[in-house]
């Protein structure tokens, strides 16, 4: 590790997130200040969905056994390692009390490294971090959608349309699940688990970023009529 460290602390209601950021020795060039800012914003979104989840985030957490309403602890430590080494791409670990995340800089000067983290639909830095901190509060779920929500929120808040193609593609996939769910609901048919979750996922995003969600879905070439049909159903569920 390089002889450098940044520390941060985020207090959200009665939740506390402390953290430390370090760099691997062989890291390539990147915008350190911007990455520190994104790390902190990612933690703020994680603290938001942990401490003040909207109705649909609560539904997803319950479906996936993420204990946000009864956490093992509300004091979490997050250790972040900036790296451009492909071996550590989206790698992390977590246990009660905190988590460790290897963070590939979105601002990496190496075009191959930057394009991979910006366009992949396999994983994301913020998603990895959220997943490991879910273990920090007592979750044993290994494959989940709840950790993807902070990654979507971080993206919608800080990146331009089309800049995070992988994230936007995944949101589009969830929208297809939500669309099927609404159509089956209206036909009086039973929903499959992934359809219920897809609907809750899209509705959760709509609660926080209604305008950006529509922009992303239109960019993915979904019809306005289909978009509004699903999002109107989200409003019906809130009544």
């Amino acid at each position: 590790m390089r002889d450098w460290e940044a520390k941060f602390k985020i207090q959200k209601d009665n939740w506390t997130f402390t953290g430390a950021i370090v760099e691997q020795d062989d890291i390539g060039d990147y915008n350190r200040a911007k990455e520190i800012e994104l790390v902190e914003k990612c933690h703020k979104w994680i603290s938001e969905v942990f401490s003040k989840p909207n109705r649909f985030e609560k539904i997803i957490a319950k479906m996936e056994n993420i204990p946000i309403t009864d956490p093992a602890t509300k004091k979490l430590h997050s250790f972040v390692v900036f790296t451009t080494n492909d071996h550590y791409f989206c790698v992390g670990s977590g246990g009660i009390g905190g988590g460790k995340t290897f963070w590939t800089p979105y601002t990496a000067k190496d075009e191959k490294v930057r394009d991979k983290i910006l366009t992949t639909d396999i994983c994301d830095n913020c998603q990895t971090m959220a997943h490991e901190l879910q273990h920090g509060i007592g979750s044993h779920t290994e494959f989940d959608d709840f950790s993807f929500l902070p990654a979507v929120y971080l993206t919608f808040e800080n990146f331009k349309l089309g800049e995070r193609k992988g994230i936007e593609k995944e949101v589009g996939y969830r929208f297809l699940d939500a669309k099927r769910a609404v159509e089956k609901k209206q036909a009086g048919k039973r929903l499959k688990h992934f359809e219920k979750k897809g609907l809750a996922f899209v509705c959760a995003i709509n609660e926080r970023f209604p305008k950006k969600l529509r922009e992303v879905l239109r960019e993915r070439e979904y019809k306005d009529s289909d978009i509004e049909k699903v999002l109107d159903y989200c409003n019906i569920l809130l009544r």
Side-chain angles (χ1 to χ4, degrees), residues 82-102:
F82 287 162
T83 179
T84 52
N85 189 325
D86 193 59
H87 178 73
Y88 296 103
F89 186 73
C90 286
V91 171
S93 61
I96 300 298
K100 178 179 181 179
T101 305
F102 287 90

Side-chain angles (χ1 to χ4, degrees), residues 3-226:
D3 187 20
W4 170 83
E5 183 182 60
K7 294 185 178 181
F8 61 89
K9 182 177 182 179
I10 295 170
Q11 194 82 35
K12 181 70 173 178
D13 299 325
N14 56 347
W15 291 75
T16 302
F17 294 76
T18 57
I21 308 169
V22 299
E23 295 173 326
Q24 287 193 328
D25 289 332
D26 60 351
I27 192 168
D29 291 337
Y30 71 103
N31 186 332
R32 180 194 279 173
K34 182 62 177 178
E35 294 300 328
I36 292 173
E37 178 186 340
L38 289 170
V39 165
E40 292 184 357
K41 286 183 175 180
C42 174
H43 280 90
K44 287 177 181 177
W45 277 116
I46 295 170
S47 69
E48 178 71 17
V49 299
F50 278 13
S51 65
K52 287 189 174 180
N54 63 40
R55 174 181 173 179
F56 301 108
E57 290 161 355
K58 289 178 182 177
I59 290 171
I60 297 170
K62 185 175 181 179
M63 291 176 76
E64 297 183 331
N65 297 314
I66 312 298
I68 56 173
T69 56
D70 187 26
T73 179
K74 291 186 177 181
K75 293 183 178 180
L76 296 165
H77 183 76
S78 183
F79 187 67
V80 183
V81 182
F82 287 162
T83 179
T84 52
N85 189 325
D86 193 59
H87 178 73
Y88 296 103
F89 186 73
C90 286
V91 171
S93 61
I96 300 298
K100 178 179 181 179
T101 305
F102 287 90
W103 182 286
T104 301
Y106 300 109
T107 60
K109 295 295 190 292
D110 185 313
E111 188 175 344
K112 185 177 179 181
V113 173
R114 185 179 66 252
D115 284 353
K116 184 173 182 179
I117 190 60
L118 286 176
T119 62
T120 183
D121 60 353
I122 299 172
C123 63
D124 175 76
N125 291 320
C126 191
Q127 179 183 15
T128 301
M129 184 177 292
H131 178 80
E132 302 311 340
L133 291 177
Q134 286 170 190
H135 289 313
I137 62 173
S139 169
H140 299 291
T141 303
E142 286 301 334
F143 301 99
D144 69 281
D145 281 336
F146 191 76
S147 62
F148 188 45
L149 289 167
V152 172
Y153 300 152
L154 181 75
T155 296
F156 281 14
E157 181 183 54
N158 297 281
F159 292 87
K160 296 177 182 177
L161 185 65
E163 204 170 5
R164 299 295 315 281
K165 289 184 174 64
I167 293 284
E168 292 174 8
K169 185 190 294 185
E170 283 296 315
V171 170
Y173 291 154
R174 302 308 197 286
F175 178 77
L176 286 178
D177 293 338
K179 181 173 175 289
R180 277 193 293 267
V182 172
E183 290 169 349
K184 289 175 74 171
K185 274 271 190 182
Q186 292 177 336
K189 298 179 181 178
R190 290 176 61 86
L191 302 187
K192 294 181 179 178
H193 184 79
F194 73 89
E195 292 167 337
K196 291 179 183 178
K197 196 156 57 170
L199 180 58
F201 190 89
V202 170
C203 292
I205 299 172
N206 187 54
E207 284 289 287
R208 298 191 183 274
F209 289 94
K211 182 179 178 181
K212 191 64 175 282
L213 176 60
R214 285 170 170 81
E215 290 174 356
V216 167
L217 294 175
R218 288 180 186 128
E219 183 71 13
R220 302 292 305 168
E221 299 185 350
Y222 293 108
K223 296 178 181 178
D224 279 350
S225 57
D226 288 335

